[in-house]
Structure formats: C-alpha cells, structure tokens
Short mmCIF file of all heavy atoms in Angstrom, two decimals:
data_model
loop_
_atom_site.label_atom_id
_atom_site.label_comp_id
_atom_site.label_asym_id
_atom_site.label_seq_id
_atom_site.Cartn_x
_atom_site.Cartn_y
_atom_site.Cartn_z
N MET T 24 -13.94 -2.83 0.39
CA MET T 24 -13.72 -4.10 -0.17
C MET T 24 -14.22 -5.21 0.77
O MET T 24 -14.76 -6.22 0.26
CB MET T 24 -12.19 -4.31 -0.44
CG MET T 24 -11.57 -3.29 -1.34
SD MET T 24 -12.02 -3.33 -3.13
CE MET T 24 -11.55 -4.94 -3.60
N LYS T 25 -13.98 -5.06 2.07
CA LYS T 25 -14.48 -6.11 3.00
C LYS T 25 -16.01 -6.25 2.94
O LYS T 25 -16.49 -7.43 2.91
CB LYS T 25 -14.06 -5.79 4.40
CG LYS T 25 -12.61 -5.97 4.74
CD LYS T 25 -12.38 -5.68 6.19
CE LYS T 25 -10.96 -5.51 6.48
NZ LYS T 25 -10.73 -5.33 7.93
N ALA T 26 -16.70 -5.19 2.85
CA ALA T 26 -18.18 -5.23 2.79
C ALA T 26 -18.65 -6.03 1.50
O ALA T 26 -19.75 -6.59 1.54
CB ALA T 26 -18.79 -3.85 2.78
N ALA T 27 -17.82 -6.07 0.55
CA ALA T 27 -18.19 -6.72 -0.73
C ALA T 27 -17.65 -8.20 -0.70
O ALA T 27 -17.79 -8.90 -1.72
CB ALA T 27 -17.57 -5.96 -1.95
N GLY T 28 -17.12 -8.59 0.43
CA GLY T 28 -16.69 -10.00 0.58
C GLY T 28 -15.20 -10.28 0.16
O GLY T 28 -14.83 -11.45 0.08
N TYR T 29 -14.44 -9.25 0.01
CA TYR T 29 -13.02 -9.41 -0.36
C TYR T 29 -12.21 -9.50 0.92
O TYR T 29 -12.36 -8.83 1.88
CB TYR T 29 -12.56 -8.24 -1.19
CG TYR T 29 -13.03 -8.23 -2.60
CD1 TYR T 29 -14.29 -7.76 -2.93
CD2 TYR T 29 -12.22 -8.57 -3.65
CE1 TYR T 29 -14.73 -7.74 -4.22
CE2 TYR T 29 -12.61 -8.54 -4.93
CZ TYR T 29 -13.92 -8.15 -5.18
OH TYR T 29 -14.35 -8.15 -6.49
N ARG T 30 -11.14 -10.35 0.83
CA ARG T 30 -10.08 -10.35 1.78
C ARG T 30 -9.08 -9.33 1.37
O ARG T 30 -8.98 -9.02 0.16
CB ARG T 30 -9.35 -11.69 1.78
CG ARG T 30 -10.29 -12.87 2.19
CD ARG T 30 -9.59 -14.22 1.90
NE ARG T 30 -8.44 -14.43 2.75
CZ ARG T 30 -7.31 -14.96 2.30
NH1 ARG T 30 -7.21 -15.42 1.10
NH2 ARG T 30 -6.27 -15.12 3.12
N THR T 31 -8.37 -8.69 2.28
CA THR T 31 -7.47 -7.63 1.94
C THR T 31 -6.13 -7.85 2.56
O THR T 31 -6.00 -8.36 3.74
CB THR T 31 -7.97 -6.23 2.40
OG1 THR T 31 -8.27 -6.31 3.80
CG2 THR T 31 -9.28 -5.93 1.68
N ALA T 32 -5.04 -7.56 1.85
CA ALA T 32 -3.69 -7.70 2.33
C ALA T 32 -2.76 -6.63 1.86
O ALA T 32 -2.91 -6.11 0.71
CB ALA T 32 -3.15 -9.06 1.87
N LEU T 33 -1.82 -6.24 2.70
CA LEU T 33 -0.73 -5.42 2.34
C LEU T 33 0.54 -6.16 2.73
O LEU T 33 0.75 -6.54 3.85
CB LEU T 33 -0.80 -4.13 3.10
CG LEU T 33 0.33 -3.03 2.75
CD1 LEU T 33 -0.17 -1.66 2.95
CD2 LEU T 33 1.57 -3.24 3.51
N VAL T 34 1.43 -6.33 1.75
CA VAL T 34 2.67 -7.08 2.01
C VAL T 34 3.81 -6.31 1.33
O VAL T 34 3.73 -5.98 0.16
CB VAL T 34 2.63 -8.53 1.40
CG1 VAL T 34 3.92 -9.26 1.76
CG2 VAL T 34 1.39 -9.27 1.90
N GLY T 35 4.87 -6.08 2.10
CA GLY T 35 5.98 -5.31 1.49
C GLY T 35 7.06 -5.02 2.52
O GLY T 35 7.03 -5.50 3.65
N PHE T 36 7.92 -4.13 2.12
CA PHE T 36 8.99 -3.67 3.01
C PHE T 36 9.24 -2.19 2.63
O PHE T 36 9.84 -1.87 1.64
CB PHE T 36 10.33 -4.47 2.76
CG PHE T 36 11.39 -4.15 3.69
CD1 PHE T 36 11.41 -4.52 5.06
CD2 PHE T 36 12.40 -3.35 3.26
CE1 PHE T 36 12.40 -4.23 5.83
CE2 PHE T 36 13.47 -2.99 4.10
CZ PHE T 36 13.42 -3.41 5.45
N GLN T 37 8.81 -1.34 3.55
CA GLN T 37 8.98 0.09 3.31
C GLN T 37 8.59 0.83 4.61
O GLN T 37 7.57 0.58 5.19
CB GLN T 37 8.04 0.56 2.15
CG GLN T 37 8.05 2.01 1.89
CD GLN T 37 9.33 2.43 1.18
OE1 GLN T 37 10.13 1.63 0.82
NE2 GLN T 37 9.49 3.75 1.00
N TYR T 38 9.41 1.78 4.99
CA TYR T 38 9.18 2.49 6.22
C TYR T 38 7.89 3.24 6.16
O TYR T 38 7.11 3.34 7.19
CB TYR T 38 10.39 3.50 6.53
CG TYR T 38 10.12 4.37 7.65
CD1 TYR T 38 10.26 3.87 8.95
CD2 TYR T 38 9.80 5.69 7.48
CE1 TYR T 38 10.02 4.67 10.03
CE2 TYR T 38 9.58 6.50 8.56
CZ TYR T 38 9.70 6.07 9.86
OH TYR T 38 9.48 6.82 10.93
N GLN T 39 7.50 3.80 5.02
CA GLN T 39 6.33 4.63 4.93
C GLN T 39 5.04 3.77 5.07
O GLN T 39 3.93 4.29 5.23
CB GLN T 39 6.25 5.32 3.54
CG GLN T 39 7.25 6.48 3.54
CD GLN T 39 8.62 6.04 3.05
OE1 GLN T 39 8.92 4.85 3.03
NE2 GLN T 39 9.47 7.04 2.72
N LEU T 40 5.15 2.43 5.04
CA LEU T 40 4.04 1.56 5.27
C LEU T 40 3.81 1.17 6.68
O LEU T 40 2.96 0.39 7.05
CB LEU T 40 4.16 0.31 4.34
CG LEU T 40 4.24 0.50 2.89
CD1 LEU T 40 4.48 -0.80 2.16
CD2 LEU T 40 3.05 1.17 2.33
N SER T 41 4.64 1.72 7.51
CA SER T 41 4.63 1.40 8.96
C SER T 41 3.35 1.74 9.66
O SER T 41 2.67 2.74 9.27
CB SER T 41 5.83 2.15 9.63
OG SER T 41 5.47 2.73 10.85
N PRO T 42 2.94 1.04 10.68
CA PRO T 42 1.72 1.38 11.47
C PRO T 42 1.78 2.84 12.04
O PRO T 42 0.79 3.41 12.30
CB PRO T 42 1.74 0.40 12.60
CG PRO T 42 2.55 -0.74 12.13
CD PRO T 42 3.58 -0.14 11.20
N ARG T 43 2.98 3.31 12.12
CA ARG T 43 3.18 4.72 12.60
C ARG T 43 2.39 5.68 11.83
O ARG T 43 1.93 6.73 12.28
CB ARG T 43 4.66 5.02 12.61
CG ARG T 43 4.99 6.40 12.98
CD ARG T 43 6.45 6.65 12.89
NE ARG T 43 6.80 7.90 13.49
CZ ARG T 43 7.99 8.38 13.63
NH1 ARG T 43 9.03 7.69 13.21
NH2 ARG T 43 8.21 9.57 14.21
N PHE T 44 2.22 5.32 10.49
CA PHE T 44 1.49 6.21 9.54
C PHE T 44 0.04 5.72 9.32
O PHE T 44 -0.62 6.14 8.42
CB PHE T 44 2.26 6.42 8.26
CG PHE T 44 3.61 6.90 8.50
CD1 PHE T 44 4.73 6.12 8.27
CD2 PHE T 44 3.85 8.23 8.84
CE1 PHE T 44 6.04 6.57 8.50
CE2 PHE T 44 5.09 8.72 9.05
CZ PHE T 44 6.18 7.92 8.92
N ASN T 45 -0.38 4.77 10.12
CA ASN T 45 -1.72 4.24 9.99
C ASN T 45 -2.00 3.50 8.68
O ASN T 45 -3.19 3.48 8.23
CB ASN T 45 -2.77 5.33 10.25
CG ASN T 45 -3.51 5.07 11.52
OD1 ASN T 45 -3.38 4.05 12.23
ND2 ASN T 45 -4.38 6.01 11.85
N GLN T 46 -1.03 2.98 8.02
CA GLN T 46 -1.26 2.39 6.72
C GLN T 46 -1.91 1.00 6.84
O GLN T 46 -2.34 0.48 5.86
CB GLN T 46 0.10 2.27 6.02
CG GLN T 46 0.71 3.54 5.69
CD GLN T 46 -0.06 4.41 4.72
OE1 GLN T 46 -0.70 3.89 3.81
NE2 GLN T 46 -0.08 5.64 4.95
N GLN T 47 -2.03 0.44 8.02
CA GLN T 47 -2.62 -0.84 8.18
C GLN T 47 -4.14 -0.82 8.15
O GLN T 47 -4.74 -1.89 8.10
CB GLN T 47 -2.13 -1.52 9.51
CG GLN T 47 -2.78 -0.94 10.77
CD GLN T 47 -2.28 0.36 11.22
OE1 GLN T 47 -1.49 1.03 10.59
NE2 GLN T 47 -2.76 0.77 12.42
N GLN T 48 -4.76 0.34 8.21
CA GLN T 48 -6.22 0.38 8.24
C GLN T 48 -6.80 -0.27 7.02
O GLN T 48 -6.44 -0.10 5.88
CB GLN T 48 -6.64 1.87 8.22
CG GLN T 48 -6.34 2.65 9.44
CD GLN T 48 -6.87 4.01 9.45
OE1 GLN T 48 -7.99 4.25 8.97
NE2 GLN T 48 -6.09 4.99 9.91
N GLY T 49 -7.85 -1.07 7.27
CA GLY T 49 -8.58 -1.73 6.25
C GLY T 49 -7.99 -3.06 5.70
O GLY T 49 -8.54 -3.64 4.84
N PHE T 50 -6.85 -3.44 6.22
CA PHE T 50 -6.24 -4.69 5.74
C PHE T 50 -6.46 -5.81 6.79
O PHE T 50 -6.17 -5.65 7.97
CB PHE T 50 -4.73 -4.51 5.51
CG PHE T 50 -4.47 -3.62 4.30
CD1 PHE T 50 -4.08 -2.33 4.46
CD2 PHE T 50 -4.58 -4.11 3.01
CE1 PHE T 50 -3.79 -1.53 3.40
CE2 PHE T 50 -4.36 -3.34 1.92
CZ PHE T 50 -3.92 -2.00 2.05
N ASP T 51 -6.97 -7.00 6.32
CA ASP T 51 -7.03 -8.15 7.18
C ASP T 51 -5.67 -8.70 7.46
O ASP T 51 -5.45 -9.19 8.60
CB ASP T 51 -7.83 -9.24 6.46
CG ASP T 51 -9.24 -8.81 6.02
OD1 ASP T 51 -9.89 -8.25 6.88
OD2 ASP T 51 -9.56 -9.06 4.88
N PHE T 52 -4.78 -8.67 6.54
CA PHE T 52 -3.43 -9.18 6.66
C PHE T 52 -2.49 -8.07 6.34
O PHE T 52 -2.55 -7.43 5.29
CB PHE T 52 -3.20 -10.35 5.70
CG PHE T 52 -1.82 -10.98 5.81
CD1 PHE T 52 -1.48 -11.83 6.94
CD2 PHE T 52 -0.88 -10.79 4.86
CE1 PHE T 52 -0.27 -12.36 6.98
CE2 PHE T 52 0.39 -11.40 4.93
CZ PHE T 52 0.68 -12.18 5.99
N TYR T 53 -1.54 -7.73 7.27
CA TYR T 53 -0.66 -6.62 7.10
C TYR T 53 0.75 -6.97 7.53
O TYR T 53 1.03 -7.29 8.66
CB TYR T 53 -1.24 -5.50 8.03
CG TYR T 53 -0.34 -4.25 8.10
CD1 TYR T 53 -0.32 -3.34 7.08
CD2 TYR T 53 0.46 -4.03 9.20
CE1 TYR T 53 0.49 -2.22 7.13
CE2 TYR T 53 1.32 -2.96 9.28
CZ TYR T 53 1.32 -2.00 8.26
OH TYR T 53 2.15 -0.92 8.30
N GLN T 54 1.66 -7.00 6.53
CA GLN T 54 3.07 -7.29 6.80
C GLN T 54 3.88 -6.27 6.08
O GLN T 54 4.01 -6.32 4.80
CB GLN T 54 3.43 -8.68 6.31
CG GLN T 54 2.76 -9.78 7.05
CD GLN T 54 3.38 -9.95 8.49
OE1 GLN T 54 4.55 -9.75 8.73
NE2 GLN T 54 2.54 -10.27 9.43
N ASN T 55 4.37 -5.28 6.81
CA ASN T 55 5.18 -4.23 6.16
C ASN T 55 6.69 -4.36 6.37
O ASN T 55 7.47 -3.49 5.96
CB ASN T 55 4.74 -2.86 6.62
CG ASN T 55 5.27 -2.63 8.03
OD1 ASN T 55 5.18 -3.39 8.91
ND2 ASN T 55 5.87 -1.45 8.17
N ASN T 56 7.11 -5.44 6.97
CA ASN T 56 8.53 -5.55 7.30
C ASN T 56 9.13 -6.85 6.78
O ASN T 56 9.99 -7.42 7.39
CB ASN T 56 8.73 -5.55 8.84
CG ASN T 56 7.93 -6.60 9.56
OD1 ASN T 56 7.18 -7.35 8.88
ND2 ASN T 56 8.06 -6.73 10.80
N ILE T 57 8.75 -7.22 5.53
CA ILE T 57 9.30 -8.40 4.92
C ILE T 57 10.61 -8.13 4.31
O ILE T 57 10.73 -7.46 3.28
CB ILE T 57 8.28 -8.96 3.81
CG1 ILE T 57 6.88 -9.09 4.36
CG2 ILE T 57 8.83 -10.20 3.22
CD1 ILE T 57 6.73 -10.22 5.33
N SER T 58 11.67 -8.53 4.95
CA SER T 58 13.01 -8.36 4.34
C SER T 58 13.34 -9.65 3.63
O SER T 58 12.79 -10.68 3.75
CB SER T 58 14.04 -8.14 5.49
OG SER T 58 14.05 -9.20 6.37
N GLY T 59 14.24 -9.51 2.67
CA GLY T 59 14.69 -10.58 1.86
C GLY T 59 14.35 -10.46 0.43
O GLY T 59 14.52 -11.40 -0.38
N GLY T 60 13.82 -9.25 0.04
CA GLY T 60 13.56 -8.97 -1.36
C GLY T 60 12.19 -9.45 -1.82
O GLY T 60 11.38 -9.96 -1.09
N GLY T 61 12.01 -9.27 -3.13
CA GLY T 61 10.71 -9.57 -3.77
C GLY T 61 10.28 -10.91 -3.68
O GLY T 61 9.04 -11.25 -3.50
N GLY T 62 11.23 -11.89 -3.74
CA GLY T 62 10.83 -13.29 -3.59
C GLY T 62 10.18 -13.61 -2.29
O GLY T 62 9.16 -14.36 -2.22
N LYS T 63 10.60 -13.01 -1.16
CA LYS T 63 10.00 -13.30 0.11
C LYS T 63 8.68 -12.60 0.23
O LYS T 63 7.75 -13.14 0.78
CB LYS T 63 10.95 -12.68 1.19
CG LYS T 63 10.52 -12.94 2.61
CD LYS T 63 10.44 -14.46 2.93
CE LYS T 63 10.07 -14.59 4.41
NZ LYS T 63 9.73 -15.94 4.73
N ILE T 64 8.52 -11.37 -0.39
CA ILE T 64 7.21 -10.72 -0.42
C ILE T 64 6.20 -11.59 -1.19
O ILE T 64 5.09 -11.77 -0.68
CB ILE T 64 7.37 -9.36 -1.02
CG1 ILE T 64 8.17 -8.40 -0.14
CG2 ILE T 64 6.00 -8.68 -1.36
CD1 ILE T 64 8.48 -7.08 -0.70
N VAL T 65 6.57 -12.10 -2.31
CA VAL T 65 5.70 -12.94 -3.07
C VAL T 65 5.29 -14.20 -2.36
O VAL T 65 4.16 -14.60 -2.27
CB VAL T 65 6.30 -13.25 -4.49
CG1 VAL T 65 5.50 -14.30 -5.22
CG2 VAL T 65 6.38 -11.97 -5.33
N SER T 66 6.33 -14.80 -1.73
CA SER T 66 6.11 -16.03 -0.98
C SER T 66 5.07 -15.79 0.14
O SER T 66 4.20 -16.60 0.35
CB SER T 66 7.42 -16.59 -0.45
OG SER T 66 7.20 -17.62 0.39
N THR T 67 5.30 -14.72 0.96
CA THR T 67 4.37 -14.38 1.96
C THR T 67 2.97 -14.16 1.47
O THR T 67 1.98 -14.60 2.04
CB THR T 67 4.92 -13.15 2.78
OG1 THR T 67 6.18 -13.41 3.27
CG2 THR T 67 3.98 -12.72 3.88
N PHE T 68 2.87 -13.43 0.39
CA PHE T 68 1.54 -13.16 -0.25
C PHE T 68 0.90 -14.43 -0.72
O PHE T 68 -0.31 -14.63 -0.38
CB PHE T 68 1.71 -12.17 -1.36
CG PHE T 68 0.56 -12.11 -2.26
CD1 PHE T 68 -0.62 -11.54 -1.81
CD2 PHE T 68 0.58 -12.59 -3.57
CE1 PHE T 68 -1.77 -11.48 -2.65
CE2 PHE T 68 -0.50 -12.55 -4.41
CZ PHE T 68 -1.69 -11.99 -3.95
N LEU T 69 1.62 -15.28 -1.38
CA LEU T 69 0.99 -16.59 -1.87
C LEU T 69 0.54 -17.44 -0.73
O LEU T 69 -0.48 -18.11 -0.85
CB LEU T 69 1.99 -17.29 -2.77
CG LEU T 69 2.25 -16.53 -4.15
CD1 LEU T 69 3.26 -17.29 -4.97
CD2 LEU T 69 0.95 -16.40 -4.91
N ASP T 70 1.34 -17.47 0.38
CA ASP T 70 0.93 -18.23 1.56
C ASP T 70 -0.45 -17.70 2.08
O ASP T 70 -1.32 -18.51 2.42
CB ASP T 70 1.93 -18.18 2.63
CG ASP T 70 3.21 -18.96 2.36
OD1 ASP T 70 3.14 -19.81 1.39
OD2 ASP T 70 4.21 -18.76 3.01
N TRP T 71 -0.60 -16.39 2.09
CA TRP T 71 -1.88 -15.80 2.53
C TRP T 71 -3.01 -16.16 1.63
O TRP T 71 -4.06 -16.50 2.09
CB TRP T 71 -1.67 -14.27 2.66
CG TRP T 71 -2.95 -13.56 2.94
CD1 TRP T 71 -3.53 -13.47 4.22
CD2 TRP T 71 -3.81 -12.82 2.10
NE1 TRP T 71 -4.66 -12.73 4.12
CE2 TRP T 71 -4.83 -12.32 2.85
CE3 TRP T 71 -3.72 -12.61 0.69
CZ2 TRP T 71 -5.87 -11.58 2.26
CZ3 TRP T 71 -4.76 -11.86 0.17
CH2 TRP T 71 -5.82 -11.37 0.91
N VAL T 72 -2.77 -16.06 0.29
CA VAL T 72 -3.80 -16.46 -0.68
C VAL T 72 -4.29 -17.87 -0.52
O VAL T 72 -5.49 -18.17 -0.54
CB VAL T 72 -3.34 -16.18 -2.11
CG1 VAL T 72 -4.28 -16.78 -3.06
CG2 VAL T 72 -3.14 -14.66 -2.36
N GLU T 73 -3.42 -18.76 -0.26
CA GLU T 73 -3.67 -20.14 -0.12
C GLU T 73 -4.47 -20.52 1.15
O GLU T 73 -5.03 -21.60 1.23
CB GLU T 73 -2.44 -21.02 -0.16
CG GLU T 73 -1.77 -21.07 -1.51
CD GLU T 73 -2.73 -21.61 -2.59
OE1 GLU T 73 -3.42 -22.64 -2.32
OE2 GLU T 73 -2.87 -21.02 -3.69
N GLU T 74 -4.62 -19.59 2.09
CA GLU T 74 -5.39 -19.81 3.30
C GLU T 74 -6.90 -19.83 2.92
O GLU T 74 -7.67 -20.40 3.71
CB GLU T 74 -5.12 -18.70 4.32
CG GLU T 74 -3.72 -18.82 4.92
CD GLU T 74 -3.42 -17.64 5.91
OE1 GLU T 74 -4.34 -16.84 6.17
OE2 GLU T 74 -2.31 -17.57 6.36
N ALA T 75 -7.23 -19.16 1.84
CA ALA T 75 -8.69 -19.14 1.47
C ALA T 75 -8.72 -19.15 -0.10
O ALA T 75 -9.15 -18.20 -0.69
CB ALA T 75 -9.39 -17.97 2.00
N PRO T 76 -8.28 -20.23 -0.73
CA PRO T 76 -8.25 -20.23 -2.18
C PRO T 76 -9.66 -20.08 -2.78
O PRO T 76 -10.64 -20.56 -2.21
CB PRO T 76 -7.68 -21.63 -2.53
CG PRO T 76 -7.85 -22.45 -1.31
CD PRO T 76 -7.90 -21.49 -0.10
N GLY T 77 -9.73 -19.35 -3.83
CA GLY T 77 -10.98 -19.10 -4.50
C GLY T 77 -11.75 -18.01 -4.01
O GLY T 77 -12.72 -17.50 -4.69
N LYS T 78 -11.43 -17.46 -2.84
CA LYS T 78 -12.13 -16.31 -2.33
C LYS T 78 -11.50 -15.00 -2.95
O LYS T 78 -10.28 -14.87 -3.03
CB LYS T 78 -11.98 -16.25 -0.76
CG LYS T 78 -12.94 -15.17 -0.20
CD LYS T 78 -13.03 -15.27 1.30
CE LYS T 78 -13.97 -14.17 1.76
NZ LYS T 78 -14.10 -14.15 3.23
N PRO T 79 -12.37 -14.05 -3.34
CA PRO T 79 -11.83 -12.83 -3.94
C PRO T 79 -10.93 -12.02 -2.96
O PRO T 79 -11.18 -12.09 -1.73
CB PRO T 79 -12.99 -12.05 -4.38
CG PRO T 79 -14.15 -12.52 -3.57
CD PRO T 79 -13.82 -13.95 -3.21
N PHE T 80 -9.93 -11.32 -3.45
CA PHE T 80 -9.10 -10.54 -2.62
C PHE T 80 -8.60 -9.23 -3.32
O PHE T 80 -8.63 -9.21 -4.54
CB PHE T 80 -7.87 -11.39 -2.16
CG PHE T 80 -6.96 -11.78 -3.29
CD1 PHE T 80 -5.93 -10.92 -3.68
CD2 PHE T 80 -7.06 -13.02 -3.84
CE1 PHE T 80 -5.10 -11.37 -4.69
CE2 PHE T 80 -6.28 -13.42 -4.84
CZ PHE T 80 -5.21 -12.52 -5.24
N PHE T 81 -8.17 -8.31 -2.51
CA PHE T 81 -7.53 -7.12 -2.93
C PHE T 81 -6.18 -7.16 -2.19
O PHE T 81 -6.08 -7.38 -0.94
CB PHE T 81 -8.24 -5.87 -2.52
CG PHE T 81 -7.33 -4.62 -2.70
CD1 PHE T 81 -7.26 -4.02 -3.91
CD2 PHE T 81 -6.74 -4.09 -1.64
CE1 PHE T 81 -6.46 -2.92 -4.08
CE2 PHE T 81 -5.91 -2.94 -1.74
CZ PHE T 81 -5.80 -2.37 -3.01
N ALA T 82 -5.08 -6.99 -2.91
CA ALA T 82 -3.73 -7.03 -2.31
C ALA T 82 -2.89 -5.87 -2.85
O ALA T 82 -2.93 -5.49 -4.03
CB ALA T 82 -3.08 -8.36 -2.62
N TYR T 83 -2.16 -5.28 -1.96
CA TYR T 83 -1.16 -4.25 -2.25
C TYR T 83 0.17 -4.83 -1.86
O TYR T 83 0.46 -5.13 -0.71
CB TYR T 83 -1.48 -3.02 -1.45
CG TYR T 83 -0.40 -1.90 -1.54
CD1 TYR T 83 0.20 -1.58 -2.79
CD2 TYR T 83 0.10 -1.30 -0.42
CE1 TYR T 83 1.17 -0.66 -2.87
CE2 TYR T 83 1.11 -0.37 -0.50
CZ TYR T 83 1.61 -0.02 -1.66
OH TYR T 83 2.60 0.92 -1.79
N LEU T 84 1.04 -5.08 -2.86
CA LEU T 84 2.38 -5.55 -2.66
C LEU T 84 3.35 -4.48 -3.02
O LEU T 84 3.23 -3.85 -4.10
CB LEU T 84 2.62 -6.78 -3.55
CG LEU T 84 2.04 -8.15 -3.06
CD1 LEU T 84 0.58 -8.15 -3.18
CD2 LEU T 84 2.73 -9.30 -3.72
N HIS T 85 4.28 -4.17 -2.14
CA HIS T 85 5.24 -3.12 -2.34
C HIS T 85 6.67 -3.69 -2.41
O HIS T 85 7.11 -4.28 -1.43
CB HIS T 85 5.16 -2.08 -1.23
CG HIS T 85 5.90 -0.85 -1.55
ND1 HIS T 85 5.33 0.24 -2.11
CD2 HIS T 85 7.20 -0.50 -1.28
CE1 HIS T 85 6.27 1.22 -2.26
NE2 HIS T 85 7.34 0.73 -1.77
N PHE T 86 7.27 -3.49 -3.49
CA PHE T 86 8.62 -4.03 -3.75
C PHE T 86 9.62 -2.83 -3.84
O PHE T 86 9.37 -1.84 -4.49
CB PHE T 86 8.70 -4.74 -5.08
CG PHE T 86 7.81 -5.90 -5.16
CD1 PHE T 86 6.45 -5.75 -5.69
CD2 PHE T 86 8.21 -7.15 -4.73
CE1 PHE T 86 5.62 -6.85 -5.71
CE2 PHE T 86 7.31 -8.26 -4.88
CZ PHE T 86 6.01 -8.08 -5.31
N LEU T 87 10.77 -3.04 -3.19
CA LEU T 87 11.87 -2.02 -3.31
C LEU T 87 12.99 -2.53 -4.28
O LEU T 87 13.83 -1.70 -4.67
CB LEU T 87 12.52 -1.76 -1.96
CG LEU T 87 11.67 -0.91 -0.97
CD1 LEU T 87 12.40 -0.72 0.33
CD2 LEU T 87 11.40 0.44 -1.60
N ASP T 88 12.90 -3.73 -4.69
CA ASP T 88 13.93 -4.35 -5.53
C ASP T 88 14.23 -3.45 -6.79
O ASP T 88 15.34 -3.37 -7.27
CB ASP T 88 13.57 -5.73 -5.99
CG ASP T 88 13.35 -6.67 -4.85
OD1 ASP T 88 12.70 -6.26 -3.84
OD2 ASP T 88 13.78 -7.81 -4.90
N ILE T 89 13.19 -2.86 -7.39
CA ILE T 89 13.38 -2.22 -8.70
C ILE T 89 13.99 -0.82 -8.49
O ILE T 89 14.35 -0.20 -9.48
CB ILE T 89 12.07 -2.16 -9.46
CG1 ILE T 89 11.01 -1.35 -8.64
CG2 ILE T 89 11.51 -3.44 -9.80
CD1 ILE T 89 9.75 -1.02 -9.46
N HIS T 90 14.07 -0.31 -7.26
CA HIS T 90 14.59 1.03 -7.08
C HIS T 90 16.03 1.14 -7.29
O HIS T 90 16.89 0.65 -6.77
CB HIS T 90 14.23 1.44 -5.65
CG HIS T 90 12.79 1.79 -5.44
ND1 HIS T 90 11.80 0.94 -5.83
CD2 HIS T 90 12.17 2.83 -4.81
CE1 HIS T 90 10.64 1.44 -5.52
NE2 HIS T 90 10.83 2.61 -4.87
#
C-alpha cells in the first residue's frame, strides 16, 4: 500500500495486535493499546486522518466493544 502512495494505520485494543507478534509491520501509524472503548479508537483514528486530509489511506481498526 505504501508503494502505491497510501498512508497506513492500525488502531485498536487487543493483546494479539501487540508488537510481540509483529503486527506493526507495514503500518505508518500503530496504536494497539487504545483503552476507553470504540469512541476513543475512532477519535484516535480520525485525528490521524486529519494529519493529511485528502491523501489515500488504508486503516485497520479493531474494536472489542461488540464482543
């Protein structure tokens, strides 16, 4: 995705997304420890998007709220 000009982000809260498992590879922005529920995850993600509005991106957001 980076080679095609996309910014990349992973935002969420989940032990399996920890750097211990190398899940951060390929992401420009990586936050796997966002506590406070889905609202905080969305807020963190939107702040990241606003850093370069209009630029294409790929994002993986992981929510535990629905579990």
Side-chain angles (χ1 to χ4, degrees):
M24 302 289 301
K25 286 184 193 184
Y29 285 77
R30 298 169 63 221
T31 57
L33 182 153
V34 184
F36 184 77
Q37 178 73 7
Y38 175 74
Q39 289 85 348
L40 299 176
S41 135
R43 177 181 191 178
F44 302 109
N45 246 356
Q46 297 296 323
Q47 77 281 7
Q48 290 184 39
F50 291 102
D51 301 313
F52 182 74
Y53 174 78
Q54 292 289 324
N55 77 310
N56 58 355
I57 305 293
S58 60
K63 182 67 175 166
I64 291 170
V65 170
S66 173
T67 301
F68 165 68
L69 292 175
D70 288 345
W71 174 78
V72 169
E73 289 302 316
E74 291 175 7
K78 188 167 182 184
F80 64 85
F81 167 81
Y83 170 48
L84 282 70
H85 189 92
F86 300 91
L87 286 177
D88 300 43
I89 61 170
H90 287 46

